[in-house]
């Protein structure tokens, strides 16, 4: 029987994590938005105050994918949750249940940590992923749109000239 | 000149925070989703490991609104961000710049903390808020849809029967 193992990433995995993030960015056609480096990943994920958790999925001896997530908070529930920032499986490893194993791992952590929700965002053209998520009982929050303030707009709001 | 003050909330403010959350839930027509209590807010926001930060906006002597937020992480930037879970101004205090002051406060914190982004979600019918956010230079992430796994679906994924 095939064994998929999910393990927490360590600082030694930073080059691998950067490769996986690059793989996800390319899959999402967003590689131009990516400015991550090994140095920045090391400082933010494996320093004194890690900003997120990373787990790796191993298919036999190969690292086949990863998930990266951090805690959230719902005021309506007065309860924490988990936000799944990234979930990615390498192209040649798809269809083997690796994405399922990663998502199950995060769901288990959510239950252990008394979290009320696991949430994430999907690109609207990504039909295979959407079908996968809906099959697990995940619900699209169609009534909501995310907004982002970044770059100059963020600086101008913080420090008006 | 009118003075709007933004201050961090303390444990003594929990009853007030619950009222404000209820006000937001009613405004969003989501009061049926609200199960927060003073006890749960106290435990999750003012215990040993606060799950989010809350600031209150004071207009003269009255508390007129609040914002609640927590840190996020972007792998593409390898940099933290801030997620604004709630921003709310009491109905009779609107139009006085209080929402702007709250959002500016969060933007300043984001810059101080070397965050690349501030993000939040808006209900699609909430046109006044959408116009306000766009006026500040916030960009809608129209290509993305949020998904949520909760309740039985979350339990079933974590612990299949």
């Amino acid at each position: 029987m095939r064994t998929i193992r999910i393990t927490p990433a360590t600082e030694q995995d930073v080059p691998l994590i950067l490769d996986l993030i690059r793989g996800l960015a390319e899959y999402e056609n967003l590689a131009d938005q990516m400015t991550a480096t090994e140095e920045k990943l090391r400082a933010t994920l494996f320093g004194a105050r890690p900003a997120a958790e990373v787990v790796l999925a191993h298919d036999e001896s190969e690292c086949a994918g990863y998930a990266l997530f951090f805690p959230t908070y719902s005021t309506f529930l007065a309860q924490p949750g988990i936000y799944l920032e990234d979930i990615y499986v390498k192209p040649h490893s798809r269809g083997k249940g690796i994405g399922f194993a990663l998502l199950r791992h995060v769901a288990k952590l959510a239950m252990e940590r008394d979290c009320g929700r696991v949430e994430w965002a999907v690109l609207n053209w990504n039909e295979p992923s959407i079908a996968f998520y809906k099959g697990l009982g995940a619900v699209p929050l169609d009534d909501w749109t995310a907004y982002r303030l970044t770059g100059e707009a963020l600086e101008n709001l913080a420090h008006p000239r």
Side-chain angles (χ1 to χ4, degrees), chain A:
Chain A
M1 190 186 142
R2 183 162 223 107
T3 310
I4 300 164
R5 283 183 311 118
I6 311 287
T7 62
T10 67
E11 189 170 348
Q12 283 69 45
D13 298 314
V14 163
L16 179 61
I17 295 168
L18 184 63
D19 272 351
L20 290 163
I21 295 170
R22 194 175 287 122
L24 175 62
E26 283 165 4
Y27 174 66
E28 290 183 331
N29 300 319
L30 296 174
D32 60 318
Q33 292 189 15
M34 190 174 152
T35 57
T37 62
E38 287 188 18
E39 191 184 353
K40 288 202 274 182
L41 289 174
R42 198 169 285 116
T44 51
L45 295 176
F46 299 99
R49 297 195 309 179
E53 290 173 73
V54 192
V55 292
L56 302 176
H58 309 271
D59 178 28
E60 306 293 336
S61 64
E62 191 201 11
C63 176
Y66 80 113
L68 182 141
F69 48 94
F70 51 76
T72 63
Y73 185 72
S74 161
T75 46
F76 290 180
L77 305 180
Q79 192 178 12
I82 288 181
Y83 191 82
L84 183 62
E85 175 72 11
D86 289 356
I87 179 167
Y88 176 70
V89 177
K90 287 182 182 172
H92 68 271
S93 296
R94 289 179 196 159
K96 298 177 182 177
I98 295 167
F100 183 80
L102 283 165
L103 206 44
R104 164 165 293 167
H105 180 86
V106 174
K108 277 186 191 173
L109 288 181
M111 299 300 291
E112 286 169 22
R113 296 174 187 183
D114 192 27
C115 292
R117 301 168 171 169
V118 176
E119 292 171 311
W120 62 92
V122 190
L123 280 159
N124 294 331
W125 55 252
N126 191 351
E127 289 175 20
S129 294
I130 290 169
F132 168 56
Y133 297 141
K134 285 188 173 173
L136 298 174
V139 175
L141 305 182
D142 289 324
D143 297 342
W144 297 84
T145 299
Y147 278 73
R148 177 180 291 168
L149 197 59
T150 188
E152 267 191 47
L154 178 59
E155 286 173 36
N156 288 342
L157 178 60
H159 304 294
R161 284 167 202 164

